[in-house]
Amino acid sequence: MTARRRGFGATGLEICPIVLGTMQFGWTLSGVESMRVLDRYRELGGNVIDTADMYGGDQSVESFQPGWVIERYPWLAEAIVAAGHELALHGHRHIAAHDLTPGEEAEDIQRACAVLDRVLGRSSAGWRGPNYGYSAHTTTLLVAQGIRYDSTLMGHHLPYLTRSGDATLLELPVDWTNDDWPQYAQSFEFEYHMPIKPPAGAMAVYRAEIAAATRLGGLWIGVWHPFLSARPARLDAIEDLVRELRDDDEIWLAPLCEIAAYVQDRIDAGEYRPMIDRE
């Protein structure tokens, strides 16, 4: 028995009336169990998955995905791109670089890039290391695969360059302050116990950082995980925040691939001289 799809307003889309929520996938629901549920939902005719695709409203966003997820669910990767969003890589097995040998890290990066090329027919512009992991070999390995920017390190509040030997890579730095993990994470399985902030508290942290970045002409990158931020109250708060950013004439709101291209153009033109972090 399969679900009968229905028309979705005047959009011309036919969708399943039962939406699959995936907040617990890969978290309290194991990877194997998550795959089983996704496969069964697909078999029954399901075609609507709640992965918090309302973060940006009509704003394009950057989605970092592990290679194995793209490999296992290519239709999800295709749906992200079809919706106008940028898909970048987040490792292959989601293992931090500093927990891998140089050979294992090289294989992990190569496999992730190969999967994306096979599924979407193109390479990834960007990379974010799982668990913000980076090694002495990462810059060289990413450049060898054609990656144009990384967004893993926290060495500055402005875009900078990492250099290892002859390899140079643009870094769009992140910071734990702008990650939703310290705001909302609570995991007894991983013995991670923190007081959970209300959405207003998390947004106050983000807004303070955004105000400083705006005043200094800096960069602010929000890092939001669906299993943490994809709750109704938190999504409402994010939607309000994104609307504010979009309506502010002093702020350029864009996916990281566009920001990286802009910064690289300014560097090439000699208009911006970034800090260089040599390994």
Side-chain angles (χ1 to χ4, degrees), residues 62-67 87-92 94-97 108-109 112 124-134 138 142 147 149-154 169-176 178-180 219-225 255-257:
E62 196 95 8
S63 177
F64 288 91
Q65 298 286 338
L87 185 64
L89 290 169
H90 193 41
H92 183 76
H94 201 275
I95 301 176
D108 193 80
I109 291 173
S124 172
W127 179 275
R128 174 167 293 146
N131 299 324
Y132 298 125
Y134 213 86
T138 304
L142 293 179
I147 299 296
Y149 76 87
D150 176 71
S151 185
T152 301
L153 301 176
M154 306 182 184
L169 186 63
L170 177 64
E171 181 68 33
L172 300 182
V174 287
D175 190 89
W176 275 113
N178 304 316
D179 192 303
D180 61 357
L219 174 71
W220 181 86
I221 300 174
V223 180
W224 297 325
H225 301 80
L256 297 189
C257 58

Side-chain angles (χ1 to χ4, degrees), residues 60-195:
S60 176
V61 298
E62 196 95 8
S63 177
F64 288 91
Q65 298 286 338
W68 78 264
V69 175
I70 298 171
E71 184 175 44
R72 187 65 177 80
Y73 301 104
W75 52 275
L76 282 177
E78 292 166 355
I80 290 171
V81 174
H85 305 299
E86 178 65 19
L87 185 64
L89 290 169
H90 193 41
H92 183 76
R93 294 173 293 165
H94 201 275
I95 301 176
H98 48 262
D99 289 329
L100 298 171
T101 66
E104 290 171 338
E105 184 184 6
E107 180 185 6
D108 193 80
I109 291 173
Q110 292 166 6
R111 189 172 178 185
C113 292
V115 165
L116 189 65
D117 180 63
R118 185 167 66 250
V119 172
L120 297 180
R122 64 168 177 80
S123 60
S124 172
W127 179 275
R128 174 167 293 146
N131 299 324
Y132 298 125
Y134 213 86
S135 79
H137 312 281
T138 304
T139 295
T140 301
L141 293 172
L142 293 179
V143 170
Q145 292 298 315
I147 299 296
R148 296 193 293 277
Y149 76 87
D150 176 71
S151 185
T152 301
L153 301 176
M154 306 182 184
H156 207 284
H157 66 282
L158 296 174
Y160 62 97
L161 300 175
T162 60
R163 183 168 293 167
S164 180
D166 295 331
T168 301
L169 186 63
L170 177 64
E171 181 68 33
L172 300 182
V174 287
D175 190 89
W176 275 113
T177 310
N178 304 316
D179 192 303
D180 61 357
W181 194 274
Q183 311 297 333
Y184 300 134
Q186 176 77 295
S187 172
F188 294 104
E189 293 86 350
F190 295 120
E191 297 184 356
Y192 193 89
H193 302 172
M194 293 287 288

